[in-house]
Amino acid sequence: MSVRIDPGLIAEHNDAQQAHLEQDYAALGSRLARSGIDIEALTQRACSFEVAVPSWGVGTGGTRFARFPGPGEPRDIFDKLDDCAVINDLTRCTAAVSPHFPWDAVDDFGALLEKSRALGLSWDSINSNTFQDQPGQAHSYKFGSLSHTSAATRAQAIEHNLQCIAWGRQLGSDALTVWVGDGANHPGQTHFQRAFERYLDSMRTLYAALPDGWELHIEHKMFEPAFYATVIQDWGSSLLAAMQLGERAKSLVDLGHHAPNCNIEMIVSRLIQFGKLGGFHFNDSKYGDDDLDSGSIQPYQLFLVFNELVDAEHRAQPGFGPRYLLDQSHNVTDPIESLMNSAVEVQRALVRALLVDREALDAHQQDNDALLASNTLKAAFNTDVSPILAMARLRQGGAIDPIAAYRASGYRRRVASERPAVTGSSSGIV
Ligand code: RM4
Ligand code: RM4
Ligand code: MN
Ligand code: MN
């Protein structure tokens, strides 16, 4: 039975709000026109913007202390796709799903592909998982995977990644993202250089097996589950590995995987400069890898990241074309609502960054006018572009107010009656 939101309901919801939206859009349009900005061009850009949804994000997350399940949680990847379709149907900017294996492995990939197509969804980067042991697995990842001291364990981790590529090919994906939990909890536990050498050896095998047109994305993270040192700790290690492997190996920036107060937009700039920015996992954080909703804590940082991206596009930087994905954990909200909000926040950051007067900024930088340079960015950031985002959704058949339309649809109630409740509370990210 289809649980999809009725387009009639979305249209009804929009009808009630369209007149006000048109007024707000016209007012913003004339304001922008005074600065020589065509609102229609921005709306076009908002319409073409896409950020992929992580399949693991539609389940309720948790911490190492506890997980409090929500109603109607998806039982498998087929249910997850239904939830992802809702997000895209209402926001119209999340048409791709990034799967995580083996969590999303199925017997019949043909059926999975068929279902995604029926829902208007496609498949973005594949994520492998060698940070957990699976039932029946011969070798444990407790002390590492691709960098493990044992060749047999490394071979098993390589084999899993190759399997992920094979599954990804069946789905029409064209990138593999590798994040490993390998590292150490104690000084002296591992030999930094040897562990990195073993990791690079394993990654060379994966790189050599990449199908044509695929990219290999290396995701760094400074801590957790290893709390003293991780093998791919920061963008330095990630970039070094990507440079060793070859042109199609690139760094992936997860916004939550840096030291507090780190200047992430500058890392983004460096990676762009050397053609090594593979993509993003968007989320927000206050203390660590909090996986909070994008733009919920530091919206200015998200804007500054997009300022670098728009600047690269403006300068037609060669080799530039990162993938945009969300990677969040929703512990106390309805994951569908958080993902819709977050997709819109990322899209908002893009549109605001497009408003930056780049000629003025260049001139202020040239003149060393720090204050006006900063104000130029702030002027863009402080512009409320909500009418542009809402208009982009409306024109594409989405909802002017996705959260309100979602709540009115009763979707969560409906799926809760079909999907049995998960009993008990467990810890963990999924
Ligand atoms: C908390 C805190 C508490 C302890 C739990 C298990 O972080 O330290 O004291 O009871 O962990
Ligand atoms: C990690 C990292 C990876 C994600 C896992 C679930 O912290 O962000 O991208 O696959 O969590
Ligand atoms: Mn991530
Ligand atoms: Mn993470």
Side-chain angles (χ1 to χ4, degrees), residues 61-133:
T63 67
R64 65 197 167 100
F65 293 102
R67 190 185 87 87
F68 300 97
E73 290 193 342
R75 292 158 295 185
D76 54 24
I77 183 65
F78 292 97
D79 284 352
K80 290 180 196 173
L81 281 183
D82 281 324
D83 291 1
C84 292
V86 170
I87 297 166
N88 187 46
D89 286 347
L90 294 172
T91 65
R92 299 291 165 172
C93 62
T94 61
V97 177
S98 183
H100 217 306
F101 293 127
W103 296 338
D104 297 328
V106 291
D107 294 332
D108 186 353
F109 274 86
L112 190 56
L113 188 58
E114 203 176 297
K115 170 142 188 168
S116 60
R117 283 189 178 144
L119 293 170
L121 299 170
S122 60
W123 299 91
D124 210 311
S125 313
I126 305 299
N127 299 266
S128 61
N129 178 344
T130 60
F131 49 85
Q132 272 182 329
D133 286 347

Side-chain angles (χ1 to χ4, degrees), residues 105-182:
V106 291
D107 294 332
D108 186 353
F109 274 86
L112 190 56
L113 188 58
E114 203 176 297
K115 170 142 188 168
S116 60
R117 283 189 178 144
L119 293 170
L121 299 170
S122 60
W123 299 91
D124 210 311
S125 313
I126 305 299
N127 299 266
S128 61
N129 178 344
T130 60
F131 49 85
Q132 272 182 329
D133 286 347
Q134 303 302 327
Q137 184 178 306
H139 307 284
S140 172
Y141 295 134
K142 180 170 182 176
F143 293 105
S145 58
L146 293 173
S147 79
H148 200 284
T149 49
S150 139
T153 311
R154 294 198 300 278
Q156 177 184 281
I158 290 169
E159 189 47 48
H160 166 67
N161 278 279
L162 296 176
Q163 176 70 74
C164 284
I165 293 175
W167 285 329
R169 286 183 87 154
Q170 292 185 58
L171 295 176
S173 174
D174 60 359
L176 173 70
T177 297
V178 178
W179 172 70
V180 292
D182 297 28

Side-chain angles (χ1 to χ4, degrees), residues 65-334:
F65 293 102
R67 190 185 87 87
F68 300 97
E73 290 193 342
R75 292 158 295 185
D76 54 24
I77 183 65
F78 292 97
D79 284 352
K80 290 180 196 173
L81 281 183
D82 281 324
D83 291 1
C84 292
V86 170
I87 297 166
N88 187 46
D89 286 347
L90 294 172
T91 65
R92 299 291 165 172
C93 62
T94 61
V97 177
S98 183
H100 217 306
F101 293 127
W103 296 338
D104 297 328
V106 291
D107 294 332
D108 186 353
F109 274 86
L112 190 56
L113 188 58
E114 203 176 297
K115 170 142 188 168
S116 60
R117 283 189 178 144
L119 293 170
L121 299 170
S122 60
W123 299 91
D124 210 311
S125 313
I126 305 299
N127 299 266
S128 61
N129 178 344
T130 60
F131 49 85
Q132 272 182 329
D133 286 347
Q134 303 302 327
Q137 184 178 306
H139 307 284
S140 172
Y141 295 134
K142 180 170 182 176
F143 293 105
S145 58
L146 293 173
S147 79
H148 200 284
T149 49
S150 139
T153 311
R154 294 198 300 278
Q156 177 184 281
I158 290 169
E159 189 47 48
H160 166 67
N161 278 279
L162 296 176
Q163 176 70 74
C164 284
I165 293 175
W167 285 329
R169 286 183 87 154
Q170 292 185 58
L171 295 176
S173 174
D174 60 359
L176 173 70
T177 297
V178 178
W179 172 70
V180 292
D182 297 28
N185 277 39
H186 292 268
Q189 181 186 330
T190 60
H191 188 284
F192 294 150
Q193 186 173 328
R194 288 188 192 124
F196 196 31
E197 280 165 3
R198 291 191 296 264
Y199 169 87
L200 286 171
D201 259 1
S202 299
M203 289 294 275
R204 273 186 203 105
T205 307
L206 296 184
Y207 187 81
L210 269 189
D212 284 351
W214 274 55
E215 287 189 351
L216 179 58
H217 291 172
I218 301 170
E219 180 177 3
H220 63 274
K221 169 157 154 164
M222 67 177 302
F223 80 103
E224 193 199 23
F227 285 121
Y228 164 63
T230 63
V231 174
I232 304 296
Q233 181 211 13
D234 56 13
W235 73 283
S237 299
S238 151
L239 177 62
L240 286 169
M243 288 170 66
Q244 288 288 309
L245 293 173
E247 207 184 324
R248 290 189 290 146
K250 296 183 174 174
S251 299
L252 181 133
V253 177
D254 181 313
L255 264 58
H257 289 188
H258 306 261
N261 303 323
C262 178
N263 187 336
I264 298 176
E265 58 271 23
M266 191 161 176
I267 293 171
V268 169
S269 165
R270 291 286 190 266
L271 292 174
I272 290 171
Q273 184 170 354
F274 294 93
K276 284 295 190 189
L277 180 64
F280 289 92
H281 277 178
F282 290 114
N283 50 51
D284 215 333
S285 74
K286 179 78 180 160
Y287 301 107
D289 188 23
D290 308 336
D291 284 327
L292 297 171
D293 292 8
S294 297
S296 66
I297 307 282
Q298 302 189 73
Y300 195 48
Q301 174 181 265
L302 187 60
F303 163 81
L304 292 173
V305 166
F306 269 92
N307 177 49
E308 295 305 324
L309 299 172
V310 170
D311 172 76
E313 181 188 292
H314 186 72
R315 290 180 296 100
Q317 179 85 32
F320 175 73
R323 286 144 200 266
Y324 302 139
L325 302 98
L326 297 168
D327 179 5
Q328 305 182 160
S329 178
H330 314 104
N331 304 353
V332 296
T333 54
D334 180 325

